Amino acid sequence: KYFHSIVVGSEILNGRPTVHLDCTPRIDVKPKGKEDHKGMQFHLQVWIDKHDQAFARVDAELLRNRDEMISGTAATLTWAPIDGAWLPTKVEINGKAKLGKGLVTFDTVYTYSNYKRFRTDVRVLSGPPPDNGPNDPRSGLVPPSSGAVPNSND
């Protein structure tokens, strides 16, 4: 809706077949909200996994200065199927930003790994929570100290 997307082709990414899209913000569409407007300030290259129809990779380039960020700042985000769920594996950001009267160049990499699956049980209770006294952490009360309290009549 906000981008003009062209299929660049099919590519293998991390051993999986993907569709590569080139996405350019449409100038004939007015964004509805602030977040939509921010998103339309990027040119995107997107790779969609053919089997799971999930994002496998997104390359984003800032087209014009925004806040402190200088146009040309770029980010690459990658995901992979891990234990049945598509999870982020890496985020790379590089570019320039205004800092006071100066300009800083940055190159940042975040790597995500060692995901652990866990299970939990949830029990839904109706009504107010039970009052388990002042030692219950939900009560917000601090239990009295065990030390002696001075007598004010001395």
Side-chain angles (χ1 to χ4, degrees):
K1 154 178 172 175
Y2 292 123
F3 289 87
H4 177 70
S5 299
I6 298 171
V7 175
V8 175
S10 295
E11 299 177 22
I12 301 297
L13 195 64
N14 294 325
R16 297 179 61 97
T18 64
V19 174
H20 178 187
L21 303 171
D22 181 279
C23 306
T24 305
R26 291 177 49 183
I27 58 172
D28 61 328
V29 175
K30 181 174 169 78
K32 290 184 180 176
K34 187 176 180 180
E35 293 305 313
D36 293 335
H37 178 72
K38 285 181 179 181
M40 290 182 66
Q41 295 176 354
F42 292 92
H43 175 250
L44 305 173
Q45 298 289 322
V46 179
W47 288 262
I48 306 287
D49 184 86
K50 284 185 178 181
H51 181 263
D52 293 340
Q53 297 183 354
F55 286 113
R57 176 177 168 171
V58 173
D59 291 351
E61 181 182 354
L62 186 61
L63 296 173
R64 55 189 158 280
N65 294 355
R66 184 178 98 191
D67 301 324
E68 292 81 24
M69 306 300 272
I70 303 299
S71 68
T73 295
T76 297
L77 300 87
T78 58
W79 295 263
I82 299 170
D83 201 13
W86 280 82
L87 299 170
T89 56
K90 187 185 268 188
V91 175
E92 300 177 62
I93 307 168
N94 59 69
K96 295 181 180 178
K98 291 182 259 178
L99 183 62
K101 294 182 181 182
L103 201 62
V104 294
T105 301
F106 58 91
D107 191 0
T108 305
V109 177
Y110 300 97
T111 303
Y112 305 93
S113 61
N114 297 320
Y115 285 103
K116 305 286 187 232
R117 181 178 285 275
F118 67 92
R119 296 199 182 276
T120 184
D121 291 321
V122 176
R123 187 171 57 134
V124 178
L125 303 173
S126 61
D131 181 8
N132 294 325
N135 292 325
D136 186 343
R138 296 170 294 180
S139 71
L141 301 175
V142 178
S145 65
S146 58
V149 177
N151 186 343
S152 61
N153 292 332
D154 288 339

